[in-house]
């Protein structure tokens, strides 16, 4: 999986369960994670200095963020220090993070079907779409996207017909 930074200067990608970032112009690449478990679902924060991803650690999928630590370093690919923080501590499976364009919220899936939104300042989560409205055959089959103004999410869900997807 691959995702381009908001300023289009770097590309984050996952290879063999590890997160890497490469500079588009120079090709400089930095390994962001180095764990025996896998990471996936990498997405950029609005500031170009934050990555969000899911990691399977301690027998559960949880959400993490990695940040360029030094203010004088502009991106990940040439950074000297990257700080990782676990965003959610939960026995629930949480993954597929997607940062809002304004950088204030993070949408994610809880237990594969419940669409949640995490306020990054307060660290409080709220349910946007309950689990009964979704059905997942495989990871990544529930799609959602933020509106450019960060006020709305568009998603597919199962409405009144259990096998017919609708857009909400």
């Amino acid at each position: 999986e691959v995702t381009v930074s908001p300023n289009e200067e770097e590309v984050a990608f996952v290879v063999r369960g590890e997160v890497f970032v490469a500079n588009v112009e120079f090709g400089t690449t930095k390994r962001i994670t180095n764990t025996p478990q896998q990471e996936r679902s990498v997405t950029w924060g609005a500031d170009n200095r934050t990555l969000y991803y899911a990691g399977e650690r301690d027998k559960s999928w949880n959400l993490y963020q990695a940040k360029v630590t030094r203010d004088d370093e502009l991106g990940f690919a040439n950074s000297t220090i990257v700080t990782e923080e676990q965003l959610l501590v939960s026995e629930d499976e949480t993954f597929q993070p997607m940062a809002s364009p304004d950088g204030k919220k993070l949408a994610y899936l809880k237990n594969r079907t419940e669409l949640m939104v995490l306020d990054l300042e307060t660290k409080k989560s709220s349910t946007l779409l309950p689990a009964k409205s979704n059905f997942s055959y495989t990871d990544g089959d529930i799609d959602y996207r933020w509106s450019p103004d960060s006020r709305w999410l568009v998603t597919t869900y199962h409405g009144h017909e259990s096998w017919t997807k609708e857009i909400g």
Side-chain angles (χ1 to χ4, degrees), residues 49-64:
R49 298 172 57 83
T50 307
L51 287 173
Y52 301 100
Y53 48 89
E56 186 182 26
R57 302 180 193 168
D58 300 321
K59 301 178 183 175
S60 179
W61 282 97
N62 289 293
L63 301 181
Y64 294 85

Side-chain angles (χ1 to χ4, degrees), residues 32-35 39 53 57 64-67 69 82-86:
I32 305 303
T33 62
N34 189 9
T35 66
E39 284 83 30
Y53 48 89
R57 302 180 193 168
Y64 294 85
Q65 76 175 7
K67 288 187 169 224
T69 304
V82 173
T83 305
E84 183 184 70
E85 173 189 346
Q86 186 175 7

Side-chain angles (χ1 to χ4, degrees), residues 72-115:
D72 60 333
E73 295 177 334
L74 301 178
F76 278 95
N78 293 309
S79 64
T80 54
I81 302 172
V82 173
T83 305
E84 183 184 70
E85 173 189 346
Q86 186 175 7
L87 289 176
L88 289 174
V89 179
S90 172
E91 291 183 12
D92 292 313
E93 303 289 331
T94 57
F95 57 94
Q96 204 172 319
M98 181 175 294
S100 62
D102 66 7
K104 295 179 181 178
K105 296 183 178 171
L106 191 70
Y108 66 95
L109 289 178
K110 176 177 147 185
N111 295 325
R112 294 186 159 53
T113 54
E114 190 172 355
L115 182 56

Side-chain angles (χ1 to χ4, degrees), residues 1-165:
E1 66 192 73
V2 177
T3 182
V4 179
S5 65
N7 66 6
E8 301 178 356
E9 293 178 4
E10 294 185 304
V11 176
F13 54 97
V14 177
V15 175
R16 295 186 179 182
E18 300 296 339
V19 178
F20 296 82
V21 174
N23 181 284
V24 173
E25 184 177 354
F26 302 108
T28 310
T29 303
K30 180 165 183 84
R31 186 175 189 164
I32 305 303
T33 62
N34 189 9
T35 66
Q37 302 88 358
Q38 70 171 322
E39 284 83 30
R40 66 178 175 185
S41 304
V42 65
T43 187
W44 286 92
D47 62 359
N48 297 294
R49 298 172 57 83
T50 307
L51 287 173
Y52 301 100
Y53 48 89
E56 186 182 26
R57 302 180 193 168
D58 300 321
K59 301 178 183 175
S60 179
W61 282 97
N62 289 293
L63 301 181
Y64 294 85
Q65 76 175 7
K67 288 187 169 224
V68 175
T69 304
R70 295 180 57 175
D71 291 337
D72 60 333
E73 295 177 334
L74 301 178
F76 278 95
N78 293 309
S79 64
T80 54
I81 302 172
V82 173
T83 305
E84 183 184 70
E85 173 189 346
Q86 186 175 7
L87 289 176
L88 289 174
V89 179
S90 172
E91 291 183 12
D92 292 313
E93 303 289 331
T94 57
F95 57 94
Q96 204 172 319
M98 181 175 294
S100 62
D102 66 7
K104 295 179 181 178
K105 296 183 178 171
L106 191 70
Y108 66 95
L109 289 178
K110 176 177 147 185
N111 295 325
R112 294 186 159 53
T113 54
E114 190 172 355
L115 182 56
M116 306 289 292
V117 175
L118 173 69
D119 183 304
L120 292 168
E121 184 179 331
T122 65
K123 303 291 192 236
K124 302 267 187 214
S125 288
S126 57
T127 300
L128 186 64
L129 191 64
K132 68 179 183 177
S133 296
N134 277 322
F135 183 82
S136 178
Y137 287 108
T138 183
D139 292 347
D141 63 349
I142 296 175
D143 194 29
Y144 45 93
R145 296 283 183 266
W146 285 99
S147 65
D149 64 3
S150 301
R151 293 182 55 211
W152 306 94
L153 275 165
V154 65
T155 184
T156 57
Y157 72 101
H158 294 279
H160 68 284
E161 300 277 339
S162 60
W163 300 110
T164 304
K165 281 192 174 183

